[in-house]
Amino acid sequence: MPFKTTKQLLESALSMAKKRAFWLPASFFIVLLVIDLAFPFRLTPRYSTLVTASDGTVLHAFLNEEDKWRLYTELDEITPLFRQVILQKEDRYFYYHFGINPVSVGRALVKNLTTGRRTSGASTITMQVVRLLEPRKRTYRSKIIEILRAMQLEWHYSKDEILQLYLNLIPYGSNVEGIKSASMLYFGKLPQVLSLAEITTLTIIPNRPSSLRLGRKNPYIAQERNKWLRRFAKAGLFDSKVIEDALREPLRAERREAPKLAPHLAIRLCKQYPQLPIVRSTLVLARQTQAEQLTRNYVNRLRSINIHNAAVVVINNETMNVEAYVGSADFNNPYDGGQVDGVRAVRSPGSTLKPLLYAVGFDKGLITPKTTLNDVPANFGGFEPENFDRRFNGKVTVEFALANSLNIPAVKVLSDLTPSLLIEYLKKADFQTVKKQSTGLGLSMILGGCGVTLEELTRLFAAFAHEGQLKGLHYTLDDKLKLTSSPALLLKGEGGKQVTNPQRSEGVKERLISPEATYLITNILTQVTRPDLPNNFDNTYHLPRIAWKTGTSYGKKDAWSIGYNRRFTVGVWVGNFSGAGVPELNGANTATPLLFDIFNTLDYNSPTGWFKSAPDVVRRKVCAESGDVPSEFCTHQLLDYAIMGVSSTRKCQHLKWMFTDPVGQCSYCTECLPDSGYVKKLYPNLAPELIAYYELNRVPYAKIPPHNPACTRVLEVGAPVIISPNDGSEYFLEGQQLQLACQAANDVKEVYWYLNDRLYQKTSPQKPLFVTPPLGKVKISCSDDKGRNTDVRITVQSVR
């Protein structure tokens, strides 16, 4: 071994010292990193769900999964005053240490060793957070683990996040945890508006939550509070005048019930976003409160006629925010199903889908507002609809049919458009039940033969307020609700997930109907001369300027009224969740008064203007008899709206030329027209069903004279239409007779009925005939006195 000089030994020792100075800290850091990876700190506190209004007001609070009140305190709710008090009391050097305070630990260790018992714990706020998250027995081993865990917590999170986590977890006795829970449940206010005395009270409770019970030992708690206030004064923490005011402030703390406003929407949002501790809804507290009160008072007046519930939705048309959501008249009434959410309950829509039907008809060029339709008894393949009042109006215009909610014209339009087309529009509008029922829906759907919800209908009518553009409803203020692992945004479970709000769809915009059709529908629904105007509302200042439509379901189980103006769309349903019908229930007098009350309360004398005409809406002259472009014989004309390039330009055919003898006793066709002794004359071109209605009700009209009896030509056009029985149907009879009925042209005087090609009886076209058909396959024929014939085939079976 070679000899080393003193200088060489010193250099060697210095080199080794440098290497150790590098490797020792590096090794320590690596060990800490391995430990951190091996024993990660998982933050999984379970917070209560809090639903707030759009202005931040607390609407509803829920217990967490552990049945505790642990309301989430946000960073901006920790005021400088609150921060100052809590740090002065618990950890003055919180922002300067690395999770533990070495001076405090050393002092506590000396005290505990010299006294032989634990007199001081030296726990920092970070160490208390560790203890609240991971409770252990109070031993020195546990204290060492807390110290290591506190350092680990400081490594991953900021000081503000740790302080926030501490304030969310500190106990207040019973099942109350966190500063926000205590503030809400004992003082009835949010933490950011607490006074110095109230803040001091809440900072001393967590150290002794069992002995310092708010609401039970308030005088004793006030004494302990004042001791700390005087300490703050000695420390010069606050101005003496501020301390004096706090000392004189009485302690008014008592256990309060958690807020329970807007329960139906709150429960819905809590279930939809179970991970979120705070859900910021779009509800406007004033409007929600007004809607709830109006609904409750209105239903109380209806209880005498056995109507017990109602639901209301108010949509802001500018933002599509749902600003009021009333699921029932009284959530706390279990006898009338108060906890049922009427906004999402599937019900029969009655006539409320008619505006969409006529709008589609406008867009397809099938009809215009002045197009005439026959409101007379009709048979649509076995479906024989009736009007609500069981009356018929003869020939009516489309705008009259919609304003008066006539059923037969609506079924006729749907029959011409086909039910499948309307179903596609309803699917496009996201009617969920219609999607499920689509294969079984037919003509009756326009009269309520399908399932809808108040939410779906109100959103549909909001499209009319947006020029036919369908937009998504917003229930929360956030476009995207995120879950993160940071305590500052710590939610109800582990972080790292992201939740997209399906109800907040700013980009969901879809053209449902054209602006032109929307404008025409709005014009019709704004009319006030109509039967669904509630009693005592005509010629009164109580009538708001809105477009609205009512509906009443079969059996008088559901009353609807949905209206809109530029600012709001409001949907109202009234009825019984039990499904019990009420004879007095109807959309006009049961639901519309509540609709008007809500509009008059929310938007009375609104300065917002009315809807403007769409660019392609034009005015044109039409024949008053048909609503078509006038022909040369149309003397009675009027102005009508039309959609440029879309509306039909067919010529009016409400009259037709006929050849008759000079006295009008006989009509001729081209086959039997004589060389002379005839005149050419105009006669009404009426549909068979309208003729039958006129004949039955003795309505005078110009009849076409009977055809020349000497004519040998057999006409093919205009054969009788058999309206009973229905072609292809199966009938189960037990002692009953089957009705035979037809509709024939107005020049037909007699018809001949045949059963299985054998003459049964001759009768007039307007007179029904009753027959006992044989069992099995039966052919029924009807021939008129012009030789024109129609056949139907049915199956007759016995019920035995």
Side-chain angles (χ1 to χ4, degrees):
M1 183 175 180
F3 175 78
K4 291 185 178 180
T5 63
T6 304
K7 182 178 179 182
Q8 288 175 327
L9 288 172
L10 288 173
E11 288 177 351
S12 177
L14 185 61
S15 176
M16 291 178 66
K18 286 180 180 180
K19 289 179 181 179
R20 287 175 181 175
F22 170 76
W23 283 110
L24 284 175
S27 300
F28 182 70
F29 177 79
I30 291 171
V31 169
L32 290 179
L33 184 60
V34 170
I35 293 173
D36 183 63
L37 293 173
F39 304 97
F41 207 122
R42 300 187 183 278
L43 301 179
T44 57
R46 302 291 178 178
Y47 290 108
S48 304
T49 297
L50 197 66
V51 179
T52 69
S54 57
D55 61 354
T57 304
V58 176
L59 294 175
H60 208 109
F62 297 88
L63 290 165
N64 70 359
E65 298 168 7
E66 301 165 347
D67 287 334
K68 292 183 178 180
W69 292 110
R70 188 186 288 159
L71 303 180
Y72 183 71
T73 305
E74 298 183 281
L75 277 173
D76 57 5
E77 293 178 309
I78 307 173
T79 62
L81 177 63
F82 211 124
R83 193 185 303 262
Q84 201 172 4
V85 171
I86 198 73
L87 293 183
Q88 178 68 22
K89 181 181 177 299
E90 293 294 333
D91 192 351
R92 282 180 289 175
Y93 302 102
F94 174 70
Y95 281 97
Y96 303 100
H97 60 65
F98 50 91
I100 61 171
N101 187 334
V103 176
S104 298
V105 171
R107 184 172 61 246
L109 183 61
V110 171
K111 267 189 182 181
N112 294 342
L113 291 175
T114 55
T115 59
R117 57 190 178 88
R118 189 176 64 82
T119 59
S120 177
S123 292
T124 62
I125 285 178
T126 311
M127 293 170 67
Q128 290 184 60
V129 170
V130 172
R131 189 160 59 245
L132 290 169
L133 289 171
E134 300 176 347
R136 294 183 179 86
K137 291 183 179 180
R138 306 292 288 272
T139 64
Y140 284 109
R141 179 178 177 276
S142 296
K143 182 64 69 175
I144 293 172
I145 295 174
E146 283 178 15
I147 290 173
L148 294 175
R149 283 298 211 182
M151 295 170 61
Q152 188 179 17
L153 198 63
E154 293 271 350
W155 193 355
H156 288 282
Y157 303 104
S158 69
K159 288 289 188 180
D160 285 344
E161 291 171 341
I162 294 171
L163 178 61
Q164 180 189 13
L165 193 55
Y166 171 72
L167 294 176
N168 277 321
L169 297 174
I170 49 178
Y172 283 92
S174 185
N175 64 340
V176 181
E177 294 184 1
I179 204 76
K180 191 171 188 174
S181 303
S183 177
M184 292 283 300
L185 296 175
Y186 289 113
F187 292 108
K189 58 180 76 172
L190 291 171
Q192 59 265 42
V193 295
L194 292 173
S195 66
L196 174 60
E198 292 167 336
I199 291 173
T200 305
T201 301
L202 293 183
T203 58
I204 66 173
I205 302 296
N207 298 116
R208 293 184 291 164
S210 299
S211 58
L212 300 177
R213 298 293 297 272
L214 279 169
R216 295 185 182 181
K217 300 181 179 180
N218 283 359
Y220 178 58
I221 295 173
Q223 293 177 12
E224 296 298 311
R225 175 201 71 182
N226 292 343
K227 289 179 183 178
W228 276 99
L229 286 171
R230 292 187 184 96
R231 292 181 189 178
F232 295 157
K234 288 181 182 179
L237 197 63
F238 303 106
D239 185 76
S240 58
K241 182 67 170 65
V242 174
I243 295 292
E244 289 175 10
D245 291 341
L247 289 169
R248 285 196 297 266
E249 183 177 320
L251 178 57
R252 296 190 180 94
E254 59 180 357
R255 183 64 182 264
R256 291 168 167 81
E257 193 173 352
K260 293 182 179 179
L261 300 175
H264 293 93
L265 180 61
I267 292 172
R268 176 177 178 175
L269 294 177
C270 181
K271 291 179 178 178
Q272 188 170 345
Y273 305 113
Q275 310 94 329
L276 293 177
I278 299 178
V279 182
R280 295 172 176 84
S281 77
T282 57
L283 296 185
V284 176
L285 182 59
R287 295 195 177 106
Q288 176 69 22
T289 303
Q290 289 170 336
E292 286 183 356
Q293 185 175 357
L294 287 170
T295 305
R296 186 182 304 109
N297 293 341
Y298 185 71
V299 170
N300 285 338
R301 297 197 297 270
L302 296 178
R303 292 188 188 279
S304 60
I305 57 173
N306 201 33
I307 298 174
H308 299 281
N309 249 304
V312 173
V313 173
V314 177
I315 299 172
N316 185 315
N317 290 333
E318 184 178 350
T319 62
M320 289 303 290
N321 287 346
V322 175
E323 296 191 347
Y325 187 111
V326 183
S328 68
D330 184 1
F331 182 83
N332 297 314
N333 181 355
Y335 303 104
D336 297 322
Q339 296 185 13
V340 175
D341 188 351
V343 174
R344 295 197 291 171
V346 178
R347 315 292 298 191
S348 166
S351 298
T352 53
L353 295 178
K354 288 176 183 175
L356 176 63
L357 170 70
Y358 287 114
V360 174
F362 291 150
D363 274 339
K364 297 301 180 182
L366 179 67
I367 54 175
T368 63
K370 298 297 183 185
T371 299
T372 58
L373 302 168
N374 294 326
D375 181 32
V376 296
N379 186 298
F380 299 89
F383 179 46
E384 299 182 8
E386 291 181 334
N387 289 324
F388 182 77
D389 58 4
R390 299 195 174 185
R391 298 178 181 177
F392 303 98
N393 298 273
K395 186 182 290 187
V396 298
T397 62
V398 165
E399 62 181 356
F400 182 89
L402 177 55
N404 289 268
S405 197
L406 301 180
N407 291 340
I408 298 168
V411 175
K412 174 68 169 89
V413 172
L414 180 57
S415 177
D416 292 341
L417 289 172
T418 71
S420 60
L421 180 63
L422 183 62
I423 290 171
E424 288 305 312
Y425 273 83
L426 292 173
K427 286 181 177 179
K428 192 175 180 181
D430 202 27
F431 279 65
Q432 293 296 324
T433 307
V434 171
K435 290 180 180 179
K436 298 174 184 176
Q437 299 174 334
S438 59
T439 56
L441 295 178
L443 294 174
S444 64
M445 65 183 296
I446 197 59
L447 307 183
C450 61
V452 303
T453 66
L454 178 61
E455 178 180 45
E456 293 167 343
L457 279 177
T458 310
R459 182 187 176 213
L460 173 65
F461 275 73
F464 289 107
H466 287 100
E467 298 184 336
Q469 197 172 60
L470 189 70
K471 298 184 178 181
L473 298 183
H474 302 161
Y475 289 101
T476 64
L477 294 175
D478 304 313
D479 288 332
K480 286 189 176 180
L481 303 175
K482 295 182 179 179
L483 305 184
T484 168
S485 57
S486 169
L489 297 172
L490 194 64
L491 305 183
K492 298 183 71 175
E494 288 193 51
K497 301 178 183 177
Q498 177 173 306
V499 177
T500 302
N501 180 4
Q503 303 295 341
R504 179 78 184 180
S505 310
E506 198 69 53
V508 177
K509 298 178 182 179
E510 191 170 10
R511 175 67 62 190
L512 187 65
I513 51 180
S514 71
E516 290 75 19
T518 303
Y519 176 74
L520 299 182
I521 292 296
T522 300
N523 259 5
I524 297 172
L525 296 183
T526 310
Q527 296 179 14
V528 295
T529 307
R530 48 200 272 190
D532 61 351
L533 185 68
N535 296 333
N536 304 321
F537 268 90
D538 50 336
N539 300 321
T540 167
Y541 67 91
H542 292 300
L543 182 64
R545 189 183 184 190
I546 60 172
W548 86 96
K549 182 71 185 76
T550 63
T552 308
S553 68
Y554 179 76
K556 296 191 175 182
K557 299 177 181 180
D558 307 279
W560 305 86
S561 192
I562 304 171
Y564 60 93
N565 61 12
R566 289 291 296 272
R567 291 189 65 194
F568 297 105
T569 299
V570 178
V572 172
W573 170 87
V574 179
N576 294 310
F577 290 138
S578 64
V582 180
E584 297 85 356
L585 184 141
N586 62 74
N589 291 312
T590 310
T592 304
L594 179 56
L595 177 78
F596 285 1
D597 286 346
I598 292 172
F599 265 108
N600 284 331
T601 302
L602 299 183
D603 202 35
Y604 189 68
N605 285 336
S606 171
T608 308
W610 196 242
F611 300 96
K612 295 180 180 180
S613 177
D616 287 337
V617 171
V618 295
R619 302 295 296 273
R620 69 180 184 184
K621 284 187 175 182
V622 297
C623 175
E625 294 295 327
S626 65
D628 293 332
V629 176
S631 295
E632 66 278 1
F633 48 73
C634 297
T635 57
H636 184 196
Q637 300 178 15
L638 46 76
L639 285 175
D640 185 19
Y641 287 107
I643 302 176
M644 187 186 302
V646 175
S647 297
S648 173
T649 57
R650 64 178 175 268
K651 286 282 189 175
C652 176
Q653 298 178 2
H654 85 278
L655 296 176
K656 61 181 179 180
W657 290 103
M658 294 295 297
F659 297 106
T660 70
D661 59 8
V663 294
Q665 297 293 322
C666 176
S667 63
Y668 304 106
C669 65
T670 54
E671 186 75 18
C672 62
L673 184 67
D675 295 335
S676 62
Y678 66 87
V679 294
K680 189 177 181 182
K681 192 176 179 181
L682 285 169
Y683 282 90
N685 187 15
L686 304 178
E689 66 270 17
L690 189 58
I691 295 171
Y693 172 76
Y694 285 166
E695 291 287 343
L696 185 64
N697 292 275
R698 295 181 174 83
V699 177
Y701 67 100
K703 299 181 181 180
I704 299 174
H707 193 63
N708 179 13
C711 181
T712 59
R713 179 184 176 188
V714 177
L715 303 175
E716 297 180 358
V717 179
V721 177
I722 298 177
I723 59 174
S724 178
N726 303 308
D727 189 22
S729 297
E730 190 173 7
Y731 291 85
F732 292 83
L733 303 178
E734 183 183 7
Q736 304 104 326
Q737 289 188 310
L738 188 66
Q739 182 185 18
L740 305 181
C742 71
Q743 293 174 345
N746 66 353
D747 60 342
V748 174
K749 299 302 180 183
E750 292 180 331
V751 294
Y752 303 84
W753 289 98
Y754 295 83
L755 294 182
N756 291 329
D757 296 326
R758 296 182 63 180
L759 178 64
Y760 181 76
Q761 191 170 329
K762 177 180 72 172
T763 183
S764 68
Q766 291 77 36
K767 184 179 178 181
L769 188 64
F770 292 90
V771 61
T772 303
L775 296 179
K777 303 286 186 180
V778 180
K779 176 184 177 183
I780 298 176
S781 306
C782 182
S783 299
D784 62 17
D785 51 15
K786 306 297 181 294
R788 295 170 294 195
N789 182 76
T790 302
D791 299 329
V792 297
R793 287 173 171 80
I794 63 172
T795 301
V796 179
Q797 295 188 26
S798 173
V799 295
R800 294 177 181 175

